[in-house]
Amino acid sequence: MNNKTLIENLRCIPDFPKKGINFRDVTTLFKNPECLHIMTDELYELYKDKGITKIVGIESRGFVLASGLALKLNAGVVLCRKPGKLPGETVQESYTKEYGSDTIEIHKDAITPDDVVLLHDDLLATGGTMKAAYNLVKKFNPKAILVNFIIEINDEGLNGREAFDKDTEITTLIKV
């Protein structure tokens, strides 16, 4: 992938949120209509023949492309959020991050065993949040779970893919 237009429009903010981190800011891709079209079209090409029935957008940047892609794939959108943000009964998954722990949740009735689920978020760094989302979705016993990110960071030794089993299908649009 690594579309030239996407690479050129991706903003990198050095030393954010702390010194030594090069923050990849996807909001510059989201505000550009051409980039939105490119990303949605590339995702559609990756998943059009996979039988996706639900797209789980990870809070909050994962929500942006989940909806546009779901429309093209004729799939539903499921929100994966932090506790207390969803109004109905939920299923939760807690996980450890490099600076503490966190919890995410999905509505209890959001996914069925007949679903083919695509998990989508903006960035693969350490893989912690997405691995927790993957484990959370596994509790619903769907037919299949696929994983996608807009950006995968390879240049900082983060090795986010290593958080997943080798047979997990993971795709990214940009590798930096």
Side-chain angles (χ1 to χ4, degrees), residues 46-119:
L46 284 169
Y47 294 107
K48 67 182 179 184
D49 299 322
K50 301 284 186 174
I52 304 295
T53 58
K54 300 278 174 59
I55 300 175
V56 175
I58 312 300
E59 185 168 338
S60 64
R61 291 178 297 265
F63 297 165
V64 177
L65 288 180
S67 297
L69 181 58
L71 286 171
K72 289 185 83 152
L73 292 175
N74 195 33
V77 174
V78 174
L79 302 182
C80 182
R81 302 213 58 191
K82 295 183 188 233
K85 302 288 185 179
L86 296 172
E89 198 173 342
T90 63
V91 177
Q92 295 185 335
E93 181 76 17
S94 293
Y95 61 104
T96 303
K97 302 190 308 188
E98 58 275 10
Y99 48 86
S101 62
D102 213 341
T103 301
I104 53 175
E105 58 186 22
I106 293 174
H107 276 131
K108 191 174 186 176
D109 60 356
I111 298 169
T112 72
D114 291 328
D115 283 320
V116 175
V117 178
L118 173 63
L119 292 167

Side-chain angles (χ1 to χ4, degrees), residues 58-59 95 97 104 121 126-134:
I58 312 300
E59 185 168 338
Y95 61 104
K97 302 190 308 188
I104 53 175
D121 203 1
T126 64
T129 303
M130 183 60 86
K131 178 61 175 172
Y134 183 87

